Amino acid sequence: PALSGTIYLAEGNELHANWPFASETSLYGLDLDGAGTPVDLQRPGGFVSHAEHGGSPWVLHGVATSGSHPDGFKKMELHATNIATDSTVALLTQSDFDAAATTEFEITYDAWVAWWPGDTSIALTLVVWDLSSTPATIQESGIYVVDVSWDTTTGTPSLDPSSWALLAAVPAHDSSQLSWQMGQLGIPTTALMFNGGAKFYVDPDGELLLYDDMWELPPKILDLLTSSSTPFSPSCAPNPAPGPWSPDGTSIVFIHDFHVYLTDAAQYSCDLLADSGDKRNNFAGFYVPLIWSPQGTHVAVRHRVVEREYVTHRNYVIDVATGTDTSLTPDAGCDYVDEPDLLFLPPIAWRP
């Protein structure tokens, strides 16, 4: 099937470019009808999630702001940009961070965010600080959901601050284990992280949550109706890097050993979709994040390529029927080179 639509992602050409708080990072759109030509949307990048609401394309992304959290990491806000009108709305702001004198939200640098099916909620990873003691302590952390309302006149979204709910508790830890990376990036080793984990996906019916807690493998599927969880562990991959459900809910795509696989959502079978074809070192090959095309005919994925002492991430689309992968990003476009080799890539989004 012919490619169509636009893929949104955070990219840049400078060091730190795939980090959501980096000033060099920008939100890009890859026009699939135009052979993947990158268009800089002139917005700060970071985690990305897309929803169509009322005929308008809304993209969620992170924006660094002033101030720091108790762990020393810079505060971030959650914004939504209407790509059609080039307008931005701040959803989770500085005032929300400090809304209560004794509580503070933190969006970590390996944060994950997604619109809920139906666009009535947003889910994201957060750390909640208890500021009533000295020093401040972590009250809880994990995957949260918050209701979204849409203004009937302007069509803009806003969050309901009274509706925050914890879906799955996931522990956050300091970054000292990655101090060799953090120091070069100017990030304090006290900064909290989910270890690149806490990536999550919601099934099309909004009843199941697949999440990846890197501190406690394998990934889990949480039934939101019964609060029961089961391990997500296909036969070929006891600890896969999970991706999302297909639009019809019958398949799940995941990464194992830097290759892309499909599994039946009920039986957890293993079908190789795309071989990475690159084994020059242990970190070359396909990586999460993954995203399905709205029609369920293609999967978009990041590919890590080793080029001398550098590591380059390129964006590929895989035809599900044939397994053929196609590079979307021209070398002169929004490819980026990062050094040192970074572990956390933000999610991408696909607009019809």
Side-chain angles (χ1 to χ4, degrees), residues 162-186:
S162 66
S163 65
W164 285 101
L166 179 66
L167 293 178
V170 181
H173 299 261
D174 66 55
S175 311
S176 56
Q177 62 175 326
L178 295 175
S179 57
W180 61 276
Q181 290 184 329
M182 301 301 105
Q184 294 187 58
L185 292 169

Side-chain angles (χ1 to χ4, degrees), residues 232-269:
F232 175 69
S233 186
S235 57
C236 66
N239 297 314
W245 276 269
S246 58
D248 63 6
T250 61
S251 302
I252 298 173
V253 65
F254 66 91
I255 301 289
H256 173 60
D257 196 25
F258 309 107
H259 307 312
V260 183
Y261 287 83
L262 281 179
T263 183
D264 181 278
Q267 302 297 324
Y268 294 173
S269 58

Side-chain angles (χ1 to χ4, degrees), residues 78 120-124 144-148 159-165:
L78 176 63
T120 58
S121 302
I122 291 172
L124 71 161
Y144 292 76
V145 66
V146 60
D147 291 341
V148 175
L159 302 185
D160 177 1
S162 66
S163 65
W164 285 101

Side-chain angles (χ1 to χ4, degrees), residues 108-126:
T108 65
Y109 54 76
D110 58 348
W112 201 258
V113 64
W115 291 99
W116 205 262
D119 311 332
T120 58
S121 302
I122 291 172
L124 71 161
T125 52
L126 285 174

